[in-house]
Structure formats: structure tokens, C-alpha cells
């Protein structure tokens, strides 16, 4: 039974941060410097603005450390029960696995009013280069059938980078980019989303370190 939570960050979780994104990272023309927005529980959240040919968009970044190896972290993304235990706000989750580096996750979020009930179908691809392991996440909305009364998220892009410091420590770098306008003014929405995202990162860290 999935652990009850309040709200997600996508990574995954993070699907309320300003909106949802395309399935691939854009080729930006100009980018501002990262600015620290919040730091708590060992998690640092940053934002920066990117300018493309057609729009100005905001990128979010989270940095923290987990005192566990990557082999203890990856199963927390690829197993539905594990994912539901740390991904805050996930009411329902199922995963179809093709290999240990390729799976599709269905997540239904239980957001409090006035947010809409939404779900996300996203493919996760794992790549490894030297001491880095990357999970690239992109929306694949047609993979699972839509459910009546639930709004399907059409666009999403996120990336988790895990850098091994040693066998017992991993540096985590999460990034996501949003294209659409926030549902509410950022000065109202950001503090809430940041707090809940940090909660998810903390749950992820604690679960990995218990393995």
C-alpha cells in the first residue's frame, strides 16, 4: 500500500512548479546565473532563467547528498511501492518495466483544492558514464489509457544525475524546466512547492540510507 503523502517534484515530483515541460531540454540562447531560493534539511533549491528563440523560461535545480551508493537509490525510482513511499502527493502509481534502465511510470497525484486532479505518464531512461548515473524523464501520455475526470499532463522533462563520491555517498543533482505559466502567483506558490519538494528529497534520502 502506497504511503499517503500531501503533494509531489518530478522530478517526479515537482509537477506543480510553474507548470509542465517538453520531453526534451531546449537549446537555450542565454541563461542567467543560478540563484538560491531555499535551503533546508540539506537540500538546496535554485532557479535561473533561460531565453530561447520564442520564450523566457525558468529552470529549477536541487542539490543534496545521500549517504548511500547509487545501487541503493535506483530501486526507489523503478519500483512502484518504493516510489510511492517517497514521492509526496502520489495517490496511485504503477510501473511497466522493460529493463533495469527503461521503464514507464504512471502517477496520479492527489493535490488539495484548488489544484486539479492530474496524472502523469513518463518514460525513465537510465544511462551511466564513469561515476555518473542519469535518469532522464519525459512524458509519454499515450502509453496508458486516460482516466475519466483526471487531467493528463502532456509535457514534462526532468533529469536526475547521481554522482558517486564513494561506495557510501552520492551527490544528487535534479533539474527541471517549466514552459507554462504558474497556476497561481509565484510568490504564493513557490514557498509551498519548495517546502513539499524538500520533504520528498528528505524521504528519498532516508529510504536510501536505510537500505
Amino acid at each position: 500500500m502506497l504511503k499517503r503523502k500531501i503533494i509531489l517534484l518530478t522530478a517526479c515530483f515537482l509537477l506543480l512548479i510553474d507548470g509542465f515541460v517538453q520531453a526534451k531540454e531546449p537549446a537555450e540562447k542565454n541563461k542567467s546565473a543560478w540563484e538560491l531560493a531555499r535551503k533546508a534539511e540539506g537540500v538546496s533549491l535554485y532557479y535561473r532563467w533561460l531565453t530561447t528563440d520564442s520564450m523566457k523560461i525558468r529552470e529549477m535545480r536541487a542539490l543534496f547528498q545521500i549517504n548511500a551508493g547509487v545501487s541503493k537509490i535506483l530501486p526507489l525510482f523503478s519500483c512502484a511501492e518504493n516510489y510511492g513511499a517517497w514521492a509526496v502527493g502520489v495517490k496511485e502509481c504503477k510501473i511497466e518495466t522493460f529493463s533495469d534502465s527503461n521503464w514507464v511510470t504512471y502517477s496520479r497525484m492527489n493535490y488539495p483544492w484548488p489544484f486539479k486532479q492530474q496524472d502523469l505518464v513518463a518514460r525513465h531512461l537510465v544511462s551511466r558514464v564513469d561515476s555518473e548515473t542519469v535518469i532522464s524523464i519525459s512524458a509519454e501520455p499515450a502509453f496508458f489509457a486516460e482516466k475519466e475526470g483526471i487531467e493528463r499532463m502532456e509535457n514534462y522533462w526532468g533529469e536526475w544525475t547521481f554522482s558517486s563520491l564513494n561506495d557510501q555517498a552520492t551527490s544528487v543533482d535534479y533539474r527541471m524546466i517549466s514552459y507554462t505559466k504558474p497556476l497561481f502567483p509565484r510568490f504564493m506558490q513557490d514557498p509551498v512547492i519548495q517546502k513539499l519538494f524538500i520533504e520528498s528529497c528528505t524521504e528519498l534520502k532516508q529510504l536510501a540510507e536505510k537500505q
Side-chain angles (χ1 to χ4, degrees):
M1 186 175 183
L2 299 182
K3 185 178 178 181
R4 181 177 177 272
K5 295 294 182 180
I6 303 171
I7 198 168
L8 174 61
L9 105 327
T10 175
C12 178
F13 21 123
L14 319 167
L15 301 181
L16 279 178
I17 303 173
D18 290 352
F20 308 99
V21 300
Q22 291 183 342
K24 61 181 181 178
E25 190 174 9
E28 71 273 7
K29 296 183 66 175
N30 298 293
K31 52 190 176 184
S32 64
W34 289 107
E35 294 187 6
L36 180 65
R38 185 166 186 155
K39 186 173 183 178
E41 304 297 330
V43 181
S44 298
L45 296 181
Y46 299 84
Y47 292 108
R48 71 175 176 181
W49 289 97
L50 307 179
T51 304
T52 68
D53 289 331
S54 58
M55 66 183 74
K56 185 178 181 181
I57 53 181
R58 192 170 70 155
E59 181 178 11
M60 191 198 79
R61 184 182 193 183
L63 297 175
F64 59 103
Q65 181 175 318
I66 296 177
N67 294 321
V70 176
S71 63
K72 301 290 183 65
I73 301 171
L74 289 183
L76 300 179
F77 287 82
S78 58
C79 170
E81 184 175 0
N82 290 341
Y83 183 78
W86 68 267
V88 178
V90 174
K91 180 70 172 181
E92 177 187 354
C93 176
K94 61 181 177 180
I95 295 177
E96 184 160 335
T97 303
F98 300 96
S99 71
D100 61 359
S101 60
N102 182 4
W103 64 88
V104 176
T105 299
Y106 170 84
S107 303
R108 179 168 66 88
M109 275 61 72
N110 185 27
Y111 297 142
W113 184 89
F115 295 109
K116 297 179 180 178
Q117 298 301 297
Q118 298 175 315
D119 62 12
L120 171 70
V121 179
R123 184 172 295 274
H124 294 60
L125 297 174
V126 180
S127 59
R128 298 176 176 85
V129 178
D130 298 327
S131 62
E132 285 192 352
T133 300
V134 177
I135 303 179
S136 299
I137 307 171
S138 58
E140 199 164 316
F143 189 89
F144 288 115
E146 293 188 26
K147 296 187 176 184
E148 185 176 356
I150 306 296
E151 181 179 294
R152 176 64 48 88
M153 302 172 191
E154 297 291 333
N155 299 304
Y156 177 82
W157 178 90
E159 187 173 85
W160 293 86
T161 299
F162 305 104
S163 301
S164 296
L165 302 177
N166 53 55
D167 292 340
Q168 300 297 323
T170 302
S171 175
V172 182
D173 186 339
Y174 172 79
R175 299 191 189 195
M176 69 90 67
I177 299 174
S178 173
Y179 281 77
T180 60
K181 293 181 179 180
L183 298 174
F184 303 99
R186 288 194 177 96
F187 75 89
M188 295 174 57
Q189 179 170 299
D190 281 355
V192 176
I193 299 303
Q194 291 163 9
K195 179 180 181 296
L196 295 171
F197 179 63
I198 288 173
E199 182 182 345
S200 279
C201 292
T202 301
E203 293 283 350
L204 174 64
K205 173 182 170 69
Q206 292 176 349
L207 286 173
E209 293 176 352
K210 289 179 181 178
Q211 302 298 314

